[in-house]
């Protein structure tokens, strides 16, 4: 198999691969690489037809001594290449008018080619003296088309290079430079009449073009150049040193009788092995300096970075120090630290909220929210590796990113995004711009940056905790201030209510006394008709009820102002409770309730008897109201020994229990508040006996005030509020006992066991 046969087979394979590659790039919308597509198509088709010509016709295209052979394959290749140009340009919006104009021009040339092929005429133009034939026009047309296409491709690629701000894309576009050089050399050799068999340079250009198209991230040309130059310079220095050393040894030691060239060469090689490592480092530093490559020491950077951020707890300071250290160490143009807050939505989908840590006065970056199925989130969380802006722009995996989200990322002008994880949770992200030198991020750079991101995780986690604590403290202070203001407002409202009660009770007592007095006088007048007496009795009953309420309000006002007068005397609580119960016997009978009094002999209480009567009257009335018909109310008591500073001489505990609706545990403290109404206000009633009739809401408040004025304590126990099962309630009253005279024992009251109802 000849070289031409092998070249032709390879070109057929490349041509077969070209179409899917074309559609792949079109799907990626890689408009900035349009020149690459055009050039690769031109290279493949032109090479294929040129080799076909050598196989099938044995002809050559050459320019020598003014003679140009007609080469329909080459002309067709140029025409087909431009048709391919129009196809690809249709997928872009850039320079459409220019390409359209060139297309019309090229189509005219293609028509001329067809006319030449079918021999419809040989003379294109003549004035009688001069003539222009197809043999003269077509080669000129082909060369002109070749020039236009080559220059257009070079200009297009270089303009795309100038527009791009991504080193990775610029590196990829740089690969087209050797493609242009190889094509130009191959075609120039054809034009001057020295073609290479099988066009190997064009074949190499086609293979390199295909490699660029199918490779998303080709090797860094700067790094390749650095390695090649280092290798070449080091090799030249070593060879030169070896040759110089060997030549010098022959001159100096050749006259010696025991001279052995092999031993001398081994000695020089041994010497070179000692100086190879420092020589390589020296050459590498020279090459880096020449190519403007800054040396980077990952271990030193990691150590310094870890030391400086480990104890930072302020989020803003952490962002400044962390990003500043990375920018300084790697010579980066810009950088940002983002906090990532995750939360679950109503549909159980996890979302991530990215917010930048910025200094005061700096331009704020808009917060963006990404879902867990977002391609960027998948790349950063599932892959757990850096994301390049180059990948975000070109890879099909990120095609679903919306235009608004792309604009947000482009606005950052970053080149690499590094996730920060803590306990496998995504908590932050570093966004770093391009290097100032214009070089791309190497694999070593990305590995080092990933390690720096891991170092940042602990400090960021601690700073987030401190930030949350500071925010919580701020919210608590605000809540305390709001609560303090609310307390002051409540105190003001409570004082206003107390003032109203005091004023109302004082202002109403006098007219009520007058009404009661005159009503009693009219009732004693027996000359009035019976109907009038009935009305007067109703008026008297209502005014006395109103007078009781006013008395309660007056007592509440005195309790609030701590001016309640307590006339302390030894009181037999058993007889006092029996006396109050006898006064309520009619109410027990009306509700068909049973009152059980079981009080053993108790020490005399140290109390005001009038106030105690009000206390137990309110407690028993309350029990009557909230106990259903046929219910039972029990009054029991026991003596309390001296056991605290509150009861230096002991005390008595009286318990009023019932089988009523009970008290909600959440309301067992608030029921002793003024004007508290359990249940619905529609059930409010002035009746003393109606079931669940709440009344004015002063009874329990007054009871608590009376007990506390005596230095005692009152509370309620109940399993809860239930209008079906009636769990009942137990009101406990603790009162101090009267101290004994001359150190003797306290006096004991009578025992009372009774049943009413």
């Amino acid at each position: 198999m000849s070289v031409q046969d092998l070249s032709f087979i390879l070109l057929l394979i490349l041509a077969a691969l070209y179409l899917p590659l074309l559609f792949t790039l079109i799907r990626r919308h890689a408009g900035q690489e349009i020149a690459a597509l055009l050039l690769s198509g031109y290279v493949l088709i032109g090479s294929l037809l040129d080799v076909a010509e050598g196989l099938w016709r044995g002809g050559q295209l050459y320019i020598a001594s003014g003679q140009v052979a007609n080469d329909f394959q080459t002309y067709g290749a140029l025409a087909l290449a431009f048709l391919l140009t129009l196809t690809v340009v249709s997928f872009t919006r850039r320079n459409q008018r220019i390409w359209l104009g060139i297309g019309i021009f090229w189509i005219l040339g293609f028509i001329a080619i067809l006319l030449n092929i079918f021999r419809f005429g040989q003379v294109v133009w003549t004035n009688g003296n001069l003539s222009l034939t197809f043999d003269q026009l077509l080669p000129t047309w082909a060369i002109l088309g070749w020039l236009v296409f080559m220059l257009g491709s070079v200009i297009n690629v270089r303009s795309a290079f100038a527009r791009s701000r991504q080193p990775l894309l610029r590196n990829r576009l740089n690969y087209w430079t050797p493609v242009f050089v190889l094509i130009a050399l191959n075609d120039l050799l054809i034009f001057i009449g020295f073609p290479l068999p099988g066009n190997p340079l064009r074949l190499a250009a086609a293979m390199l073009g295909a490699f660029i198209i199918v490779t998303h991230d080709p090797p860094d040309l700067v790094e390749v150049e650095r390695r090649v130059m280092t290798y070449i310079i080091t090799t030249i220095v070593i060879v030169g040193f070896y040759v110089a050393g060997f030549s010098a040894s022959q001159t100096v030691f050749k006259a010696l009788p025991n001279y052995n060239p092999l031993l001398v060469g081994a000695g020089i090689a041994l010497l070179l092995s000692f100086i190879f490592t420092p020589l390589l480092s020296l050459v590498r530093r020279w090459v880096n300096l020449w190519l403007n490559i800054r040396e980077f020491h990952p271990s030193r950077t990691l150590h310094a970075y870890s030391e400086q951020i480990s104890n930072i707890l302020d989020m803003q300071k952490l962002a400044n120090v962390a990003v500043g250290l990375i920018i300084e160490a790697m010579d980066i143009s810009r950088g940002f630290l983002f906090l990532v807050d995750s939360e679950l939505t109503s549909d159980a989908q996890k979302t991530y909220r990215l917010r930048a840590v910025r200094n005061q006065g700096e331009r704020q970056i808009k917060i963006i929210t990404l879902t867990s199925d977002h391609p960027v989130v998948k790349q950063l969380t599932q892959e757990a590796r850096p994301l390049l802006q180059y990948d975000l722009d070109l890879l099909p995996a990120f095609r679903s990113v919306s235009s608004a989200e792309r604009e947000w990322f482009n606005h950052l002008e970053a080149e690499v995004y590094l996730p920060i994880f803590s306990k496998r949770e995504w908590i932050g992200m570093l966004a770093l711009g391009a290097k100032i030198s214009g070089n791309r991020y190497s694999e070593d750079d990305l590995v080092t940056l990933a390690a720096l991101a891991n170092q940042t995780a602990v400090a960021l986690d601690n700073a987030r905790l401190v930030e949350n604590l500071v925010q919580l403290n701020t919210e608590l202070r605000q809540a305390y201030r709001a609560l303090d203001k609310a307390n002051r407002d409540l105190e003001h409202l409570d004082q206003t209510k107390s003032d109203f009660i005091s004023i109302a009770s004082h202002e109403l007592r006098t007219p009520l006394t007058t009404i009661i007095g005159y009503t009693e006088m009219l009732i004693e007048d027996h000359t009035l008709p019976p109907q009038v007496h009935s009305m007067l009795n109703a008026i008297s009953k209502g005014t006395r009820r109103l007078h009781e309420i006013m008395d309660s309000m007056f007592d509440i006002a005195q309790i609030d102002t701590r001016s309640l007068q307590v006339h302390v005397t030894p009181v037999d609580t058993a007889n006092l409770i029996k006396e109050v119960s006898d006064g309520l016997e009619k109410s027990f009978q009306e509700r068909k309730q049973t009152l059980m009094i079981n009080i053993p002999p108790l020490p005399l209480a140290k109390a005001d008897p009038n106030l105690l009567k009000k206390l137990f009257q309110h407690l028993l009335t309350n029990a009557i109201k909230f106990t259903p018909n046929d219910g039972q109310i029990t009054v029991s008591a026991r003596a309390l020994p001296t056991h605290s500073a509150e009861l230096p001489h002991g005390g008595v505990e009286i318990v009023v229990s019932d089988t009523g609706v009970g008290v909600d545990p959440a309301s067992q403290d608030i029921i002793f508040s003024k004007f508290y109404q359990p249940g619905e206000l529609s059930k409010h009633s002035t009746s003393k006996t109606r079931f669940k009739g709440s009344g004015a809401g002063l009874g329990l408040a007054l009871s608590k005030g009376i007990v506390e004025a005596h230095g005692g304590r009152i509370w309620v126990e109940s399993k809860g509020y239930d209008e079906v099962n009636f769990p009942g309630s137990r009101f406990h009253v603790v009162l101090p006992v009267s101290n004994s005279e001359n150190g003797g024992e306290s006096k004991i009251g009578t025992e009372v066991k009774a049943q009413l109802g």
Side-chain angles (χ1 to χ4, degrees):
M1 181 180 292
S2 65
V3 175
Q4 285 187 337
D5 295 335
L6 182 60
S7 300
F8 183 65
I9 293 173
L10 291 175
L11 284 170
L12 283 177
I13 296 173
L14 290 174
L17 291 174
Y18 179 75
L19 192 59
L21 293 177
L22 168 65
F23 285 109
T24 299
L25 279 184
I26 290 174
R27 286 174 60 237
R28 291 182 182 177
H29 302 285
Q32 66 269 34
E33 294 190 355
I34 183 173
L37 281 172
L38 302 181
L39 190 56
S40 62
Y42 170 67
V43 169
L44 288 171
I45 296 174
S47 298
L48 182 62
L49 294 179
D50 280 345
V51 174
E53 175 193 6
L55 288 177
W56 296 334
R57 296 180 58 183
Q60 293 181 342
L61 175 64
Y62 60 93
I63 301 175
S65 304
Q67 299 296 322
V68 182
N70 290 326
D71 190 339
F72 80 93
Q73 292 92 342
T74 302
Y75 305 151
L78 296 177
L80 291 176
F82 185 73
L83 291 179
L84 176 64
T85 301
L86 292 180
T87 303
V88 178
V89 169
S90 66
F91 289 94
T92 67
R93 300 292 180 184
R94 188 178 297 134
N95 300 330
Q96 282 190 336
R97 292 182 180 179
I98 297 175
W99 285 110
L100 183 60
I102 298 174
I104 295 173
F105 176 75
W106 215 284
I107 290 172
L108 294 175
F110 187 59
I111 293 174
I113 293 172
L114 292 177
L115 291 176
N116 179 53
I117 292 174
F118 292 104
R119 303 297 181 185
F120 287 129
Q122 289 293 329
V123 179
V124 177
W125 173 83
T126 181
N127 60 359
N129 297 323
L130 298 175
S131 299
L132 179 63
T133 65
F134 279 106
D135 291 340
Q136 297 170 335
L137 176 62
L138 293 181
T140 306
W141 195 273
I143 295 173
L144 179 62
W146 180 87
L147 260 178
V148 170
F149 188 84
M150 287 295 295
L151 290 176
S153 299
V154 172
I155 292 173
N156 206 348
V157 171
R158 298 319 296 176
S159 62
F161 180 89
R163 289 192 304 270
S164 175
R165 62 179 178 84
Q166 297 179 9
L168 286 168
L169 182 56
R170 291 200 297 268
N171 175 69
R172 188 173 182 180
L173 293 173
N174 276 333
Y175 270 85
W176 289 105
T177 301
V179 174
F180 296 143
V181 173
L182 291 173
I183 292 176
L185 289 176
N186 185 88
D187 293 349
L188 286 175
L189 289 174
I190 294 176
F191 293 157
I192 64 177
F194 295 100
L196 297 176
N199 294 305
L201 297 180
R202 185 183 288 269
L203 178 60
M207 296 178 66
L208 182 56
F211 169 76
I212 299 170
I213 294 174
V214 299
T215 306
H216 174 68
D217 186 10
D220 187 6
L221 277 177
V222 176
E223 180 65 21
V224 172
E225 184 180 3
R226 183 178 75 88
R227 291 176 181 270
V228 170
M229 290 183 63
T230 302
Y231 175 78
I232 292 174
I233 294 174
T234 305
T235 302
I236 291 173
V237 172
I238 290 175
V239 171
F241 183 85
Y242 184 85
V243 172
F246 195 79
S247 300
S249 66
Q250 280 189 331
T251 304
V252 176
F253 303 109
K254 189 174 183 180
L256 296 177
N258 296 327
Y259 174 75
N260 189 340
L262 184 61
L263 292 177
V264 172
I268 296 174
L270 181 62
L271 181 60
L272 285 174
S273 66
F274 285 114
I275 68 171
F276 177 77
T277 301
L279 176 64
L280 183 63
S281 300
L282 180 62
V283 172
R284 186 181 290 117
R285 285 198 297 271
W286 286 346
V287 173
N288 289 343
L289 185 62
W290 185 40
L291 296 178
N292 194 24
I293 298 176
R294 183 177 176 181
E295 287 192 83
F296 178 61
H297 303 282
S299 58
R300 297 179 188 175
T301 303
L302 285 171
H303 180 70
Y305 187 82
S306 177
E307 279 189 343
Q308 296 195 41
I309 71 167
S310 58
N311 296 323
I312 299 178
L313 297 178
D314 181 71
M315 184 64 69
Q316 188 172 328
K317 184 178 179 182
L318 175 63
N320 292 335
V321 173
V323 175
L325 288 173
I326 295 175
I327 288 177
E328 181 180 359
M330 303 192 69
D331 199 23
I332 299 173
S333 59
R334 58 174 54 204
F336 307 97
L337 176 64
F338 287 88
L339 299 181
V340 179
D341 303 316
S342 60
E343 60 181 10
L344 289 176
T345 59
S346 57
D347 55 353
Q349 186 179 22
K350 199 170 188 179
T351 60
Y352 296 92
R353 184 169 169 266
L354 278 67
R355 54 187 177 96
V357 182
R358 307 292 289 158
N359 293 325
Q360 293 182 354
E362 290 186 354
R363 178 174 54 88
Q364 295 298 317
I365 298 176
K366 185 175 68 173
I367 297 174
I368 187 172
T369 302
L370 305 175
T371 58
S372 58
D373 57 352
H374 195 277
V376 173
V377 175
K378 288 182 178 179
Q379 170 76 11
L380 295 176
T381 57
Q382 297 179 9
E383 300 291 336
R385 60 187 181 89
L387 170 65
L388 299 175
Q389 182 68 36
Y390 175 73
D391 297 337
L392 181 60
D393 291 340
L394 298 181
L395 286 182
F398 301 99
R399 193 178 303 139
S400 61
V401 178
S402 66
S403 58
E405 294 167 344
R406 288 188 182 277
E407 183 179 355
W408 186 87
F409 282 102
N410 292 331
H411 183 68
L412 297 179
E413 296 183 9
E415 188 175 337
V416 61
Y417 306 96
L418 298 132
I420 301 174
F421 295 95
S422 176
K423 300 175 183 177
R424 298 184 180 181
E425 286 292 327
W426 186 26
I427 64 170
M429 184 182 73
L430 285 169
L432 303 176
K435 292 184 177 181
I436 297 176
S437 62
N439 296 330
R440 56 172 286 179
Y441 285 94
S442 65
E443 288 298 326
D444 293 338
D445 293 337
L446 295 179
V447 171
T448 303
L449 289 174
L452 293 176
N454 292 334
Q455 292 285 341
T456 311
V458 177
L460 182 60
D461 208 10
N462 294 335
R464 283 172 65 96
L465 291 175
V466 172
E467 184 185 47
N468 292 338
L469 287 175
V470 171
Q471 183 179 0
L472 181 60
N473 289 334
T474 302
E475 293 175 355
L476 285 176
R477 283 195 295 269
Q478 293 175 351
Y480 282 140
R481 285 195 292 268
L483 183 61
D484 185 56
K485 183 179 182 300
N487 286 334
R488 290 196 301 270
D489 293 342
L490 288 175
E491 289 176 358
H492 178 71
L493 291 174
D494 192 61
Q495 183 62 40
T496 303
K497 185 169 63 175
S498 299
D499 294 342
F500 169 76
I501 293 173
S502 179
I503 293 171
S505 61
H506 278 87
E507 292 296 326
L508 294 177
R509 284 168 67 89
T510 300
L512 278 176
T513 302
T514 302
I515 294 172
I516 291 173
Y518 283 114
T519 303
E520 294 295 333
M521 292 174 61
L522 290 173
I523 290 175
E524 292 177 357
D525 187 357
H526 299 289
T527 60
L528 296 175
Q531 295 85 353
V532 174
H533 274 278
S534 177
M535 289 186 290
L536 289 174
N537 287 329
I539 293 172
S540 177
K541 182 179 178 181
T543 53
R544 290 185 181 280
R545 172 62 179 153
L546 187 58
H547 193 272
E548 290 177 2
I549 295 174
M550 288 300 101
D551 282 344
S552 297
M553 293 177 65
F554 181 72
D555 291 338
I556 286 291
Q558 287 184 317
I559 290 172
D560 287 342
T561 58
R562 291 181 173 82
S563 59
L564 182 66
Q565 298 294 325
V566 180
H567 302 285
V568 178
T569 184
V571 177
D572 186 353
T573 53
N575 284 332
L576 186 142
I577 292 172
K578 180 65 170 61
E579 181 181 349
V580 173
S581 301
D582 291 341
L584 296 173
E585 184 175 6
K586 185 177 179 181
S587 299
F588 290 116
Q589 293 174 352
E590 181 181 341
R591 293 292 309 282
K592 300 178 182 179
Q593 295 172 345
T594 302
L595 173 65
M596 301 292 296
I597 302 176
N598 185 12
I599 302 176
L602 299 174
L604 300 183
K606 182 182 179 181
D608 185 328
N610 293 325
L611 293 178
L612 284 191
K613 286 182 181 179
K614 292 182 180 180
L615 165 66
F616 290 110
Q617 186 172 7
H618 286 305
L619 291 178
L620 291 174
T621 302
N622 185 74
I624 292 172
K625 287 183 178 181
F626 291 94
T627 301
N629 293 345
D630 300 320
Q632 181 175 319
I633 301 170
T634 303
V635 180
S636 59
R638 67 187 181 96
L640 298 177
T642 303
H643 63 280
S644 66
E646 297 177 357
L647 300 172
H649 304 287
V652 293
E653 180 182 6
I654 300 95
V655 180
V656 179
S657 57
D658 58 58
T659 57
V661 295
V663 181
D664 188 356
S667 305
Q668 290 180 5
D669 291 329
I670 199 174
I671 61 173
F672 295 100
S673 302
K674 292 174 289 187
F675 302 107
Y676 174 74
Q677 298 288 337
E680 300 177 2
L681 291 178
S682 60
K683 297 181 180 179
H684 178 272
S685 174
T686 58
S687 172
K688 292 184 178 181
T689 59
R690 180 182 174 183
F691 182 48
K692 294 192 296 183
S694 300
L698 296 176
L700 292 179
L702 184 58
S703 300
K704 181 180 180 181
I706 292 173
V707 172
E708 291 179 348
H710 285 82
R713 192 162 60 94
I714 184 172
W715 72 93
V716 64
E717 294 177 351
S718 178
K719 294 181 179 179
Y721 185 88
D722 190 345
E723 297 183 8
V724 177
N725 299 317
F726 299 108
S729 57
R730 293 166 55 86
F731 284 85
H732 297 255
V733 176
V734 174
L735 296 171
V737 299
S738 177
N739 57 338
S740 58
E741 298 179 359
N742 299 325
E745 294 183 357
S746 300
K747 294 182 179 180
I748 304 299
T750 58
E751 179 182 6
V752 175
K753 293 184 181 294
Q755 178 176 339
L756 300 177

